[in-house]
Each structure stands twice: as structure tokens, then as C-alpha cells.
Amino acid sequence: MKNNIIYFLSCLVLTIGLASCSSDDSNDNALLLSVSIVDGEKQDVALGKSLTLEAKVENGENARFEWTVDGEKVSTELKYVFTPTKAGTYDVKFAAYKDKDEAYAAILVNVYVAYDAVKSMSDIQFWTGEGECQSALGVQWISGDNWEDPIQDNVHFLSWGYRWKESDQSTGYQMILAIAKADPRFFVVMGPGFGGDDSRSVRGLGYDANGDGCFSIHVYYI
């Protein structure tokens, strides 16, 4: 009889232990708070326009929301309309808080300057050089990461005007260097001349669209 009682107590302890383990497992498997920002981790917007950012939240019943731009709180809703006042790159974050749980998502927003279309020489806003002769440099730029199939807002056509004296007999090479010297956002990649002498040649062009001072050159071989 004593052995039976001991066996019964052992079964009872084992049952309680299993019940306790089952309870712990259910807590471990509780659905965690999770957030994301629609359309990825990087977006572009032209200065003067607005960008609507939307967050997706999973298991966020009764959660509190918060948007920040470069660390400054700007909204407590799921959607936030970002209206920049100057060009640059902005660090935008979304956070959700629920009891002891919290989740974060971040996105970089590139704000660039979009110029009006140039239909004639008189429409060009940026000029350099002096003289009675004039010419223009027009370049189509693509911002964002998708160069093969960009969206319309990421395609930009910029123009610069260049003046020179007829007696100077200026060249396109000199025009490009003069524009690069006058416009701090315009970059020129130089290389040795193709004639094998000490001359120089233009190998590539770049433009710091958001004006943040950060610029990099990537070489592509075709």
C-alpha cells in the first residue's frame, strides 16, 4: 500500500510538471509584435512634393505607434505624410509598443531637386562663362536603384548653359570642365586621353541630386 501511495504521488508530480511545461511553452509561442514599412527600405521624393509612408503591423492590438524623422517625433498614426522642406537624405523610423513588447522598422528617404522642363535656351537656369556664343549641356539622370526600368519620378533631365567668346574657340571638353567647376553638385570622372599623350578625357558624369555631399562612382563595363 505504501508503494502504491508513493507511485501515485510520483504520477501526480509528473502530471503537474507536464502541465507546467505546457503552460511555459504556450507563453514562449505567444505571437510577437512585428512591423514593416510598405515599399521597402528606401524611397525618393522630389522637393516640393509629399510622400505618404504606411506601416504594417502584425499582432499589434492596442499597440501605440510612433513615427520619427531624424530622431524627431512627427506622428502617432499608421500612415505618415512626409513633406520635406529641403533636399537631403532623411532617416525615417516607425515604432510600435505593446505591453513589454516593441518593434521597429526604418526607411531612408532621398529628397532631390526636380527642375522644370527646358524647351529653349532661355529656360536654362544655370549659366557659367562669358561671351557672345552660347551652348547647352543636357543630361538625363536616373535616381533610385532600378536603372533599367525606373519609375517616372526617378527620371530627371538637367541642363546647364555655357557662354564663351568666339575668339576663344572653346570645345565641349572645356564646357564640361567649366560647368563642373561652377556647380558643386556636378561631378566629372577624368581619365587619360585616348591619343596616348598627356591629354585628359572625360570618362563619366555624376550629380549629387539630394545635396547631402555624399557621392560615389561605380564603373560598369559593357
Side-chain angles (χ1 to χ4, degrees):
M1 182 66 177
K2 183 176 181 181
N3 291 338
N4 290 339
I5 294 175
I6 293 174
Y7 175 76
F8 173 77
L9 291 176
S10 298
C11 291
L12 181 61
V13 172
L14 179 60
T15 302
I16 295 174
L18 289 174
S20 176
C21 291
S22 176
S23 176
D24 290 342
D25 289 342
S26 64
N27 290 333
D28 292 340
N29 294 330
L31 297 177
L32 298 178
L33 185 63
S34 142
V35 301
S36 62
I37 298 176
V38 177
D39 292 334
E41 300 177 351
K42 184 179 179 182
Q43 293 193 41
D44 299 315
V45 62
L47 185 64
K49 294 186 177 182
S50 296
L51 176 66
T52 300
L53 299 172
E54 181 179 0
K56 294 293 186 181
V57 180
E58 295 184 7
N59 309 313
E61 295 79 3
N62 301 320
R64 296 179 293 107
F65 307 136
E66 180 180 280
W67 287 93
T68 60
V69 176
D70 290 341
E72 181 180 352
K73 183 177 177 180
V74 292
S75 176
T76 57
E77 305 294 333
L78 278 176
K79 289 186 178 181
Y80 166 58
V81 179
F82 176 57
T83 306
T85 57
K86 63 180 181 179
T89 300
Y90 294 82
D91 183 17
V92 182
K93 294 181 179 179
F94 175 79
Y97 305 94
K98 177 183 177 182
D99 299 330
K100 297 182 179 180
D101 197 5
E102 55 189 47
Y104 305 89
I107 185 172
L108 288 178
V109 179
N110 171 45
V111 180
Y112 59 88
V113 179
Y115 296 96
D116 295 334
V118 173
K119 299 180 180 179
S120 66
M121 298 290 281
S122 60
D123 293 332
I124 298 177
Q125 302 177 21
F126 191 103
W127 285 90
T128 187
E130 296 180 355
E132 67 278 10
C133 301
Q134 62 183 23
S135 60
L137 171 67
V139 183
Q140 179 174 285
W141 307 93
I142 298 176
S143 61
D145 298 324
N146 189 353
W147 288 13
E148 295 183 357
D149 187 23
I151 62 175
Q152 185 60 41
D153 286 345
N154 286 349
V155 179
H156 324 283
F157 188 85
L158 301 183
S159 299
W160 296 261
Y162 175 64
R163 296 187 177 97
W164 78 96
K165 297 178 181 179
E166 185 176 2
S167 58
D168 292 340
Q169 296 183 347
S170 187
T171 65
Y173 173 79
Q174 293 172 327
M175 175 185 67
I176 291 175
L177 293 186
I179 293 172
K181 184 177 180 180
D183 188 348
R185 293 187 177 186
F186 184 65
F187 290 79
V188 178
V189 181
M190 302 297 298
F194 295 99
D197 51 18
D198 294 333
S199 64
R200 306 286 288 172
S201 63
V202 176
R203 298 297 182 89
L205 306 174
Y207 188 72
D208 182 13
N210 61 13
D212 64 356
C214 297
F215 195 84
S216 63
I217 299 293
H218 299 274
V219 180
Y220 294 88
Y221 297 96
I222 301 176

